[in-house]
Protein backbone atom coordinates (compact mmCIF):
# COMPACT_ATOMS: atom_id res chain seq x y z
CA UNK A 1 0.00 0.00 0.00
CA UNK A 2 1.27 3.43 -0.84
CA UNK A 3 1.41 6.21 1.68
CA UNK A 4 0.06 9.73 1.12
CA UNK A 5 2.67 12.14 -0.14
CA UNK A 6 2.67 15.87 0.49
CA UNK A 7 3.35 18.00 -2.56
CA UNK A 8 4.97 21.44 -2.53
CA UNK A 9 1.75 23.06 -1.30
CA UNK A 10 1.55 20.69 1.67
CA UNK A 11 -1.52 18.82 0.36
CA UNK A 12 -1.43 15.04 0.49
CA UNK A 13 -2.05 13.01 -2.65
CA UNK A 14 -3.30 9.49 -1.97
CA UNK A 15 -2.12 6.57 -4.07
CA UNK A 16 1.23 8.02 -5.08
CA UNK A 17 4.63 7.13 -3.77
CA UNK A 18 7.16 9.63 -2.57
CA UNK A 19 9.76 10.48 -5.21
CA UNK A 20 13.19 9.25 -4.24
CA UNK A 21 15.34 11.80 -2.53
CA UNK A 22 18.04 13.13 -4.83
CA UNK A 23 21.55 11.97 -4.12
CA UNK A 24 23.86 14.63 -2.65
CA UNK A 25 25.92 14.85 -5.85
CA UNK A 26 22.83 15.62 -7.98
CA UNK A 27 22.04 19.20 -8.75
CA UNK A 28 18.71 21.04 -8.63
CA UNK A 29 17.95 20.12 -12.26
CA UNK A 30 18.26 16.41 -11.50
CA UNK A 31 16.02 16.81 -8.45
CA UNK A 32 13.43 18.63 -10.57
CA UNK A 33 13.59 15.88 -13.19
CA UNK A 34 13.10 13.19 -10.55
CA UNK A 35 10.06 14.98 -9.12
CA UNK A 36 8.48 15.44 -12.54
CA UNK A 37 9.13 11.86 -13.63
CA UNK A 38 7.60 10.58 -10.39
CA UNK A 39 4.44 12.49 -11.24
CA UNK A 40 4.03 10.88 -14.66
CA UNK A 41 1.00 8.72 -15.11
CA UNK A 42 1.70 5.19 -16.25
CA UNK A 43 -0.49 2.19 -16.96
CA UNK A 44 0.24 0.90 -13.48
CA UNK A 45 -0.80 4.11 -11.72
CA UNK A 46 -3.59 5.15 -14.11
CA UNK A 47 -6.56 2.97 -14.86
CA UNK A 48 -9.35 5.18 -13.57
CA UNK A 49 -10.62 5.82 -17.10
CA UNK A 50 -12.97 2.85 -17.09
CA UNK A 51 -14.59 3.94 -13.83
CA UNK A 52 -15.05 7.48 -15.17
CA UNK A 53 -16.65 6.09 -18.33
CA UNK A 54 -19.02 3.99 -16.24
CA UNK A 55 -20.04 6.95 -14.09
CA UNK A 56 -20.50 9.42 -16.97
CA UNK A 57 -22.38 6.91 -19.12
CA UNK A 58 -24.48 5.85 -16.15
CA UNK A 59 -25.49 9.47 -15.49
CA UNK A 60 -26.07 10.68 -19.06
CA UNK A 61 -28.27 7.78 -20.15
CA UNK A 62 -30.97 8.13 -17.45
CA UNK A 63 -30.73 11.94 -17.60
CA UNK A 64 -31.48 11.81 -21.31
CA UNK A 65 -34.45 9.51 -20.75
CA UNK A 66 -35.73 11.87 -18.04
CA UNK A 67 -35.45 14.87 -20.40
CA UNK A 68 -37.36 13.00 -23.11
CA UNK A 69 -40.16 12.16 -20.66
CA UNK A 70 -40.29 15.74 -19.35
CA UNK A 71 -40.35 17.10 -22.91
CA UNK A 72 -43.21 14.80 -23.81
CA UNK A 73 -45.14 15.78 -20.66
CA UNK A 74 -44.70 19.49 -21.43
CA UNK A 75 -45.68 19.13 -25.10
CA UNK A 76 -48.69 16.95 -24.33
CA UNK A 77 -50.38 19.62 -22.18
CA UNK A 78 -50.88 22.07 -25.00
CA UNK A 79 -52.40 21.86 -28.46
CA UNK A 80 -50.63 24.89 -29.89
CA UNK A 81 -47.62 24.05 -32.02
CA UNK A 82 -45.58 27.14 -31.04
CA UNK A 83 -45.88 26.09 -27.36
CA UNK A 84 -44.89 22.48 -28.11
CA UNK A 85 -41.67 23.31 -30.01
CA UNK A 86 -39.62 24.44 -26.97
CA UNK A 87 -40.49 21.19 -25.18
CA UNK A 88 -39.59 19.10 -28.23
CA UNK A 89 -36.28 20.91 -28.70
CA UNK A 90 -35.15 21.14 -25.08
CA UNK A 91 -36.62 17.91 -23.80
CA UNK A 92 -36.86 15.60 -26.78
CA UNK A 93 -33.81 16.40 -28.88
CA UNK A 94 -31.47 17.23 -26.00
CA UNK A 95 -32.67 14.11 -24.18
CA UNK A 96 -32.11 12.01 -27.29
CA UNK A 97 -28.59 13.43 -27.65
CA UNK A 98 -27.82 12.61 -24.00
CA UNK A 99 -29.18 9.07 -24.42
CA UNK A 100 -26.93 8.50 -27.44
CA UNK A 101 -23.90 10.09 -25.74
CA UNK A 102 -24.44 8.05 -22.56
CA UNK A 103 -24.90 4.89 -24.59
CA UNK A 104 -21.69 5.43 -26.54
CA UNK A 105 -19.75 6.26 -23.37
CA UNK A 106 -21.08 3.15 -21.66
CA UNK A 107 -20.12 1.17 -24.78
CA UNK A 108 -16.59 2.58 -24.39
CA UNK A 109 -16.56 1.37 -20.78
CA UNK A 110 -17.63 -2.09 -21.90
CA UNK A 111 -14.90 -2.14 -24.54
CA UNK A 112 -12.21 -1.22 -21.98
CA UNK A 113 -13.30 -4.15 -19.84
CA UNK A 114 -13.12 -6.51 -22.82
CA UNK A 115 -9.65 -5.25 -23.79
CA UNK A 116 -8.37 -5.58 -20.22
CA UNK A 117 -9.75 -9.11 -19.92
CA UNK A 118 -8.26 -10.03 -23.30
CA UNK A 119 -4.83 -8.74 -22.26
CA UNK A 120 -5.01 -10.62 -18.96
CA UNK A 121 -5.97 -13.83 -20.72
CA UNK A 122 -3.17 -13.31 -23.24
CA UNK A 123 -0.58 -12.89 -20.48
CA UNK A 124 -1.85 -16.01 -18.70
CA UNK A 125 -1.83 -17.99 -21.95
CA UNK A 126 1.72 -16.94 -22.79
CA UNK A 127 2.86 -17.87 -19.27
CA UNK A 128 1.12 -21.26 -19.51
CA UNK A 129 2.62 -21.96 -22.91
CA UNK A 130 6.04 -20.98 -21.57
CA UNK A 131 5.67 -23.48 -18.73
CA UNK A 132 4.53 -26.19 -21.14
CA UNK A 133 7.41 -25.41 -23.47
CA UNK A 134 9.85 -25.60 -20.57
CA UNK A 135 8.46 -28.97 -19.49
CA UNK A 136 8.47 -30.34 -23.02
CA UNK A 137 11.92 -28.89 -23.67
CA UNK A 138 13.31 -30.70 -20.63
CA UNK A 139 11.77 -33.96 -21.83
CA UNK A 140 13.17 -33.46 -25.34
CA UNK A 141 16.72 -33.26 -24.02
CA UNK A 142 16.24 -36.48 -22.10
CA UNK A 143 14.81 -38.27 -25.12
CA UNK A 144 17.64 -36.93 -27.26
CA UNK A 145 19.99 -38.71 -24.93
CA UNK A 146 17.88 -41.88 -25.02
CA UNK A 147 20.14 -43.48 -27.59
CA UNK A 148 22.90 -43.94 -25.01
CA UNK A 149 23.64 -43.52 -21.35
CA UNK A 150 23.81 -40.27 -19.42
CA UNK A 151 25.66 -38.94 -16.40
CA UNK A 152 25.46 -35.82 -14.26
CA UNK A 153 28.07 -33.12 -15.00
CA UNK A 154 30.36 -34.15 -12.11
CA UNK A 155 29.15 -37.71 -11.56
CA UNK A 156 30.95 -40.94 -12.35
CA UNK A 157 27.93 -43.25 -12.67
CA UNK A 158 26.23 -44.08 -15.96
CA UNK A 159 22.41 -43.98 -15.95
CA UNK A 160 19.69 -44.81 -18.42
CA UNK A 161 17.82 -41.62 -19.50
CA UNK A 162 14.64 -42.84 -17.76
CA UNK A 163 16.42 -43.49 -14.43
CA UNK A 164 14.65 -41.81 -11.47
CA UNK A 165 17.99 -40.41 -10.27
CA UNK A 166 18.39 -38.23 -13.39
CA UNK A 167 14.72 -37.81 -14.40
CA UNK A 168 13.82 -34.19 -15.10
CA UNK A 169 17.42 -32.95 -15.09
CA UNK A 170 18.55 -30.83 -18.02
CA UNK A 171 22.29 -30.68 -17.29
CA UNK A 172 23.07 -34.29 -18.26
CA UNK A 173 25.98 -35.30 -20.44
CA UNK A 174 26.03 -38.24 -22.80
CA UNK A 175 28.19 -41.23 -21.93
CA UNK A 176 29.08 -44.14 -24.21
CA UNK A 177 28.29 -47.61 -22.85
CA UNK A 178 31.36 -49.18 -21.25
CA UNK A 179 33.27 -45.88 -21.00
CA UNK A 180 36.23 -45.98 -18.66
CA UNK A 181 35.82 -44.40 -15.22
CA UNK A 182 32.04 -44.81 -15.06
CA UNK A 183 30.27 -47.27 -12.82
CA UNK A 184 26.78 -48.60 -13.45
CA UNK A 185 23.86 -47.16 -11.51
CA UNK A 186 22.44 -49.68 -9.02
CA UNK A 187 18.87 -48.42 -9.56
CA UNK A 188 18.43 -48.48 -13.35
CA UNK A 189 21.13 -51.09 -14.05
CA UNK A 190 22.32 -49.90 -17.46
CA UNK A 191 23.87 -52.56 -19.66
Amino acid sequence: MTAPVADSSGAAALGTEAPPAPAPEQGPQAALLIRRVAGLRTRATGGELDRALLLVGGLLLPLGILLIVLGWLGASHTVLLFEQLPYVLSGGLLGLALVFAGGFIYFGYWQTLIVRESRTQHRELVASLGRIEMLLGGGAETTAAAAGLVATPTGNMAHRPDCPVVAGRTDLRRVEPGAAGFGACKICLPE
Side-chain angles (χ1 to χ4, degrees), residues 148-161 163 165-166 169 171-191:
L149 300 176
V150 295
T152 59
T154 59
N156 57 4
M157 296 194 99
H159 303 273
R160 288 193 333 229
C163 178
V165 174
V166 295
R169 293 189 61 165
D171 60 343
L172 300 176
R173 59 186 168 142
R174 191 174 172 148
V175 176
E176 294 299 322
F182 287 97
C185 174
K186 306 265 191 259
I187 297 173
C188 64
L189 300 171
E191 310 250 342

Side-chain angles (χ1 to χ4, degrees), residues 124-152:
E124 290 172 356
L125 181 65
V126 167
S128 296
L129 287 175
R131 288 190 303 269
I132 290 171
E133 183 179 340
M134 184 183 69
L135 290 173
L136 289 177
E141 291 177 14
T142 311
T143 46
L149 300 176
V150 295
T152 59

